Amino acid sequence: MNAKKKDYLIIGGGIAGLMIAHQLRKAGKDFLLVDRQEKNTSSKIAAGMFNPISGKRMSVNWKANELLNSLHSNFTEFETLLEAKYLIQANIHQAFGNIKESNDFASRLDVEQFKQFVNPEPKVESALIDDFGTFEVIGSGWVKTSDWMSDFQNYLEHDQAFFKAEFEWTDLLYSNNEWHWQEQFFSNIISCEGYQNNSNPYFNWLPFKLCKGQVLLIKCPGLNPKYILKRGVYLVHQYEDVYKVGASYEWDFEDARVTTEGKENLIEKVKHVINLPFEVIDQIAGIRPTTRDRAAILGAHPIQKNLFIFNGLGTKGMLQAPFLSEHMASHLLHQTPLFKEVDIDRFKSFYPNGQ
Ligand SMILES: Cc1cc2nc3c(=O)[nH]c(=O)nc-3n(C[C@H](O)[C@H](O)[C@H](O)COP(=O)(O)OP(=O)(O)OC[C@H]3O[C@@H](n4cnc5c(N)ncnc54)[C@H](O)[C@@H]3O)c2cc1C
């Protein structure tokens, strides 16, 4: 590493860190991204699905159109830069679990914002169990997240903008308005450490409410890979006859390891989605950086100068990161005010010396 001062040191190379790196790179900023290369991070195991409709209540995501537009434009840029295809458009065929869900859906069809994202009468895949009917989500899909992450990390590494290392906050010094780490100088630091924010001495007071998730990889010959199938859990095509199934939402957990119970629950749920035989070939677990109010956390440390956070992407990192990283970059580079929904300022009373 050379000793020239860089504009930013980004800590964490998951979806958050890589997206903010992309925005800073486009703006011509000089940065170094440090990542410890763990095997099963939230970003690496995510299905990478983007879906503008959320949860049992079928609510439309905050700023859904802006999020989707930004996702598409950013991945068009990545696909050009890295000469690979990452974003796969695939409508979701979502079967209702009971008659109430079907009725709730029907009553929401009057809402214009909801209607634009759904087709109430899709031609349903024969493998999908749809005793109570099915609707189609339009504009959804998934990103080959692991491929994109490793390709972009390699690209940045080649540019000497990516460094594989454990970042220890105790090795960091701040003096004369600049940061000093491993014989290098930086004007600013952006923390993108996902759930490991709890080991960050500057930001560990923020109210994260972490959520463990487990997924299965199953082999299921005969399924049509064109659609994402969903009924409680989703099945997203990966390669050949292999699908990712997920995910569990575990708010009380001891560690990030896979469990037998998690596996059995997911297997039972798959049996309620499809009527085809399948074989489990792998099981993976990770921890989502979810926050108390389920919104991301962006912005500057309340006291320490030149220190920022971009985290809390929660259950929807892929949908949110492109738009929010553009928003964060605009805040960093042009002091654009942050949306109050994601501004770290909303939690300032949690800061130990805050008021
Ligand atoms: C089972 C599961 C399924 C999911 N499915 C989807 C989905 O389909 N669609 C979707 O949009 N979202 C999904 N998510 C959520 C999504 O994965 C997260 O929102 C997103 O990955 C968060 O990204 P991140 O970069 O903030 O965190 P992380 O992915 O945790 O990345 C943080 C990175 O920082 C590194 N790091 C942390 N501290 C340090 C340090 N001190 N030094 C060096 N490196 C450090 C870590 O090693 C890691 O690489 C899913 C999550 C799970 C668990």
Coordinates of all heavy atoms in Angstrom, one line a residue, residues 10-49:
I10 N -13.2 2.6 3.5 CA -14.5 1.9 3.7 C -14.2 0.6 4.4 O -13.4 -0.2 4.0 CB -15.2 1.7 2.3 CG1 -15.3 3.0 1.5 CG2 -16.5 1.0 2.5 CD1 -15.7 2.7 0.0
I11 N -15.0 0.4 5.5 CA -14.8 -0.8 6.2 C -16.0 -1.8 6.0 O -17.1 -1.4 6.4 CB -14.6 -0.5 7.7 CG1 -13.3 0.3 7.8 CG2 -14.4 -1.8 8.5 CD1 -13.3 1.2 9.0
G12 N -15.7 -2.9 5.4 CA -16.7 -3.9 5.1 C -17.0 -3.9 3.6 O -17.4 -2.9 3.0
G13 N -16.9 -5.1 3.0 CA -17.1 -5.3 1.6 C -18.3 -6.2 1.2 O -18.2 -7.0 0.3
G14 N -19.4 -5.9 1.9 CA -20.7 -6.6 1.6 C -21.4 -5.7 0.6 O -20.8 -4.8 -0.1
I15 N -22.7 -5.9 0.4 CA -23.5 -5.2 -0.5 C -23.3 -3.7 -0.2 O -23.1 -2.9 -1.1 CB -25.0 -5.6 -0.4 CG1 -25.2 -7.0 -0.9 CG2 -25.8 -4.7 -1.3 CD1 -26.6 -7.6 -0.7
A16 N -23.4 -3.3 1.1 CA -23.3 -1.9 1.4 C -22.0 -1.2 1.0 O -22.0 -0.2 0.3 CB -23.6 -1.7 2.9
G17 N -20.9 -1.9 1.5 CA -19.6 -1.3 1.2 C -19.3 -1.2 -0.3 O -18.7 -0.2 -0.7
L18 N -19.6 -2.3 -1.0 CA -19.3 -2.3 -2.4 C -20.2 -1.3 -3.2 O -19.7 -0.6 -4.1 CB -19.6 -3.7 -3.0 CG -18.5 -4.7 -2.6 CD1 -19.0 -6.1 -2.9 CD2 -17.2 -4.4 -3.2
M19 N -21.4 -1.1 -2.8 CA -22.3 -0.1 -3.5 C -21.8 1.3 -3.2 O -21.7 2.2 -4.1 CB -23.7 -0.2 -3.0 CG -24.5 -1.3 -3.7 SD -24.7 -0.9 -5.5 CE -25.4 -2.4 -6.0
I20 N -21.4 1.6 -2.0 CA -20.9 3.0 -1.7 C -19.5 3.2 -2.4 O -19.3 4.3 -3.0 CB -20.8 3.3 -0.2 CG1 -20.7 4.8 0.1 CG2 -19.7 2.6 0.5 CD1 -22.0 5.5 -0.2
A21 N -18.7 2.1 -2.5 CA -17.5 2.2 -3.3 C -17.7 2.5 -4.7 O -17.0 3.4 -5.3 CB -16.7 0.9 -3.2
H22 N -18.8 1.9 -5.3 CA -19.1 2.2 -6.7 C -19.5 3.7 -6.9 O -19.0 4.3 -7.9 CB -20.3 1.3 -7.0 CG -20.8 1.4 -8.4 ND1 -20.0 1.3 -9.5 CD2 -22.1 1.7 -8.9 CE1 -20.7 1.5 -10.7 NE2 -22.0 1.7 -10.3
Q23 N -20.3 4.2 -6.0 CA -20.7 5.6 -6.1 C -19.4 6.5 -6.0 O -19.3 7.5 -6.8 CB -21.7 6.0 -5.1 CG -22.9 5.1 -5.0 CD -23.6 4.8 -6.3 OE1 -23.5 5.5 -7.3 NE2 -24.2 3.6 -6.3
L24 N -18.6 6.2 -5.1 CA -17.4 7.1 -4.9 C -16.4 7.0 -6.1 O -15.8 7.9 -6.5 CB -16.7 6.7 -3.6 CG -17.5 7.0 -2.3 CD1 -16.7 6.5 -1.1 CD2 -17.8 8.5 -2.2
R25 N -16.3 5.8 -6.6 CA -15.5 5.5 -7.8 C -16.0 6.4 -9.0 O -15.2 7.0 -9.7 CB -15.5 4.0 -8.1 CG -14.5 3.6 -9.1 CD -14.7 2.2 -9.6 NE -14.2 2.1 -11.0 CZ -15.0 2.3 -12.0 NH1 -16.3 2.6 -11.8 NH2 -14.5 2.3 -13.2
K26 N -17.3 6.4 -9.2 CA -17.9 7.1 -10.3 C -17.6 8.6 -10.1 O -17.5 9.4 -11.0 CB -19.4 6.9 -10.3 CG -19.8 5.6 -10.9 CD -21.3 5.5 -11.3 CE -22.1 5.3 -10.0 NZ -23.6 5.2 -10.3
A27 N -17.6 9.1 -8.8 CA -17.3 10.5 -8.5 C -15.9 10.8 -8.6 O -15.5 12.0 -8.3 CB -17.9 10.8 -7.2
G28 N -15.0 9.9 -8.9 CA -13.6 10.1 -9.0 C -12.9 10.2 -7.7 O -11.8 10.8 -7.6
K29 N -13.5 9.7 -6.6 CA -12.8 9.7 -5.3 C -11.8 8.6 -5.1 O -12.0 7.5 -5.7 CB -13.9 9.7 -4.2 CG -14.8 10.9 -4.2 CD -14.0 12.1 -3.8 CE -14.7 13.4 -4.1 NZ -13.9 14.6 -3.9
D30 N -10.8 8.8 -4.3 CA -9.8 7.9 -4.0 C -10.2 7.1 -2.7 O -10.4 7.8 -1.7 CB -8.5 8.7 -3.9 CG -7.3 7.8 -4.2 OD1 -7.5 6.7 -4.7 OD2 -6.2 8.4 -4.0
F31 N -10.2 5.8 -2.7 CA -10.6 5.1 -1.5 C -9.9 3.8 -1.4 O -9.4 3.2 -2.4 CB -12.2 4.9 -1.5 CG -12.7 4.1 -2.6 CD1 -12.7 2.7 -2.5 CD2 -13.2 4.7 -3.7 CE1 -13.1 1.9 -3.6 CE2 -13.6 3.9 -4.8 CZ -13.6 2.5 -4.7
L32 N -10.0 3.2 -0.2 CA -9.6 1.9 0.1 C -10.7 1.2 0.8 O -11.2 1.7 1.8 CB -8.3 1.8 0.9 CG -7.8 0.4 1.2 CD1 -7.2 -0.2 0.0 CD2 -6.7 0.5 2.3
L33 N -11.1 0.0 0.3 CA -12.1 -0.8 1.0 C -11.4 -2.0 1.7 O -10.7 -2.7 1.0 CB -13.1 -1.3 -0.1 CG -14.5 -1.8 0.4 CD1 -15.5 -1.8 -0.7 CD2 -14.4 -3.2 1.0
V34 N -11.7 -2.2 2.9 CA -11.1 -3.3 3.7 C -12.2 -4.3 4.1 O -13.2 -3.9 4.6 CB -10.4 -2.8 5.0 CG1 -9.7 -3.9 5.7 CG2 -9.5 -1.6 4.7
D35 N -11.9 -5.6 3.8 CA -12.9 -6.6 4.1 C -12.1 -7.8 4.6 O -11.1 -8.2 4.0 CB -13.8 -7.0 2.9 CG -14.9 -7.9 3.3 OD1 -15.9 -7.5 3.8 OD2 -14.7 -9.2 3.1
R36 N -12.7 -8.5 5.6 CA -12.0 -9.6 6.2 C -12.3 -11.0 5.5 O -11.8 -12.0 5.9 CB -12.3 -9.7 7.7 CG -13.7 -10.0 8.0 CD -13.8 -10.6 9.5 NE -13.6 -9.6 10.5 CZ -14.6 -9.1 11.2 NH1 -15.9 -9.5 11.0 NH2 -14.4 -8.2 12.1
Q37 N -13.1 -11.0 4.5 CA -13.3 -12.2 3.6 C -13.9 -13.4 4.4 O -13.3 -14.5 4.4 CB -12.0 -12.6 2.9 CG -11.5 -11.5 2.0 CD -12.3 -11.3 0.7 OE1 -12.2 -12.2 -0.1 NE2 -13.0 -10.3 0.7
E38 N -15.0 -13.1 5.1 CA -15.6 -14.2 5.8 C -16.4 -15.1 4.8 O -16.8 -14.6 3.8 CB -16.7 -13.7 6.8 CG -16.1 -13.2 8.1 CD -17.1 -12.4 8.8 OE1 -17.8 -13.1 9.6 OE2 -17.2 -11.2 8.6
K39 N -16.6 -16.4 5.2 CA -17.3 -17.3 4.2 C -18.8 -17.0 4.1 O -19.2 -16.8 3.0 CB -17.0 -18.7 4.7 CG -17.5 -19.8 3.7 CD -16.9 -21.1 4.1 CE -17.6 -22.2 3.2 NZ -18.4 -23.0 4.0
N40 N -19.5 -16.9 5.2 CA -20.9 -16.8 5.1 C -21.4 -15.5 5.6 O -22.0 -15.4 6.7 CB -21.6 -17.9 5.9 CG -21.5 -19.2 5.1 OD1 -21.3 -19.3 3.9 ND2 -21.6 -20.3 5.8
T41 N -21.3 -14.4 4.9 CA -21.8 -13.1 5.4 C -23.3 -13.0 4.8 O -23.7 -13.8 3.9 CB -21.0 -11.9 4.8 OG1 -21.1 -12.0 3.4 CG2 -19.6 -12.0 5.2
S42 N -24.0 -12.1 5.4 CA -25.4 -11.9 4.9 C -25.4 -11.7 3.4 O -26.2 -12.3 2.7 CB -25.9 -10.7 5.7 OG -27.2 -10.4 5.4
S43 N -24.5 -10.8 2.9 CA -24.6 -10.5 1.5 C -24.2 -11.8 0.6 O -24.8 -12.0 -0.4 CB -23.5 -9.4 1.1 OG -23.8 -8.3 1.8
K44 N -23.3 -12.6 1.1 CA -22.9 -13.7 0.3 C -24.0 -14.8 0.3 O -24.1 -15.5 -0.7 CB -21.6 -14.4 0.9 CG -20.4 -13.6 0.5 CD -19.1 -14.2 1.0 CE -17.9 -13.3 0.7 NZ -16.8 -13.7 1.6
I45 N -24.8 -14.9 1.3 CA -25.8 -16.0 1.3 C -27.1 -15.6 0.8 O -28.0 -16.4 0.6 CB -25.9 -16.7 2.6 CG1 -26.6 -15.9 3.7 CG2 -24.5 -17.1 3.2 CD1 -27.2 -16.8 4.8
A46 N -27.3 -14.2 0.7 CA -28.6 -13.7 0.3 C -29.0 -14.3 -1.0 O -28.2 -14.5 -1.9 CB -28.6 -12.2 0.3
A47 N -30.4 -14.4 -1.2 CA -30.9 -14.8 -2.5 C -30.7 -13.7 -3.5 O -30.9 -13.9 -4.7 CB -32.3 -15.3 -2.4
G48 N -30.5 -12.5 -3.0 CA -30.4 -11.3 -3.9 C -31.7 -10.9 -4.6 O -31.7 -10.2 -5.6
M49 N -32.8 -11.4 -4.0 CA -34.1 -11.1 -4.6 C -34.4 -9.6 -4.4 O -34.2 -9.0 -3.4 CB -35.1 -11.9 -3.9 CG -35.8 -12.9 -4.7 SD -36.8 -14.0 -3.7 CE -37.9 -12.9 -3.0

